[in-house]
Amino acid sequence: MVKSSRHRGGPVTLLSVGHACVDVYQGSVAALVPFLVSERAYPYAAAAGVVLAASLLSSVVQPLFGVLTDRRSVPWLLPVSTLAAGVGIALCGLTGQYALTLAVVALSGVGVAAYHPEAARVARIAGRGDDRAMSWFSLGGNLGFAAAPLLVSGVVGTGGLAASPLLVLPAVAGALLCAAALRSTGRRQPPGADASRSPAGRDDRASFARLSAAIACRSVVFVGLGTFISLHAGQQVGGATAVATTALFLFYAGGAVGTVLGGRLAGRFGRLRVVRWSYALTAPAVAGAVLVPGPLLLLFAAVTAVGLSVPFSLHITLGQDYLPRHPGTASGVTLGLAVSVGGVAGPLVGALADATSLRVALVPLIALPALGWLFLRTLREPDRHLDRPSS
């Protein structure tokens, strides 16, 4: 435990804060939706299309970046991808045309995609494969999500979409933190250095596929609610912008709490048991967030986020242990699915909301955590593996 604490106090902490600076831009896309609806009169489906633009291309390229990190160390991706993620969002408010808005948001999505597989690999090495270390790394991403609505509301809510260039500042800070983390872990290796690693164990592709299917169910719920919870809360609770911002903040903050709990609970009860229970208990919380009117909706939204986020870091380590020979690919798929499938489903939710109502469109999300539990039900705990570079 002392060793784990030391890692958290050094490179893992730097990586966690850098992760927050990157995932601000994933959270910013959803946080921008109410402003795009109000300033540009986007319908629900068009607003969800902006979220899709950030996630669809990301979903395609993130596993490819994972394959790349399995073949060689690419630490330079961390600061470069962080800056790309920030620049895309910074330009979002300056592009009056819908197509250009989609393009710059897609640029941000590619930056986010390029960052995560290499960052997860470096975090796994820095934390010696410890679930709590990975949960601290993942916590940074959740805190970035949670900070996004406050940041966007403060900047865009005050200066309008034209003030969006100010949103690049976290990316600059994140790039500097990534460089410091890489120096601290000593991961600046010469080309071909990773070829000396000898991965242990065999890939269990069938178990990884079932884990990925469960993650896809979780993704649709998390991204669907993350995209529309602010608008849904505004309709059901009232209070317009203040309630919308509060709902999104509580949703992402609940995610941060869940991520920390995941690592701690896994150490006591085991990863798969914790993941299964989190899926099972999330379904009624989603029902409350969708169906319960009034301020209590905000509480259910926060509880839903906790339940959805408890397994987040555990998905990463489970995936890496199911594919011990391809940990970068595992990270790319698990982290990519965490947002991509939900982003693809988002416009469908938006189109249904345009045709009926937002509440009706969110009702199908209630069943998905239970479906995810079914995919996880027969999985077995994999062996723990950690690639270590040869001396």
Side-chain angles (χ1 to χ4, degrees), residues 40 45 65 182 199 223 246 331 340 377:
R40 297 182 179 174
F65 282 111
L182 291 170
V223 178
T246 300
S331 300
S340 62
R377 186 174 61 87

Side-chain angles (χ1 to χ4, degrees), residues 322-343:
Y322 283 131
L323 298 184
R325 293 181 176 272
H326 300 90
T329 301
S331 300
V333 172
T334 54
L335 286 166
L337 282 175
V339 294
S340 62
V341 176

Side-chain angles (χ1 to χ4, degrees), residues 22 69 115 172 208 251-252 265 270 310 338 344 358 376 378:
V22 172
T69 63
Y115 170 85
V172 176
F208 182 76
F251 187 74
Y252 289 149
L265 292 173
V310 161
V344 171
L358 187 52
L376 296 165
T378 58

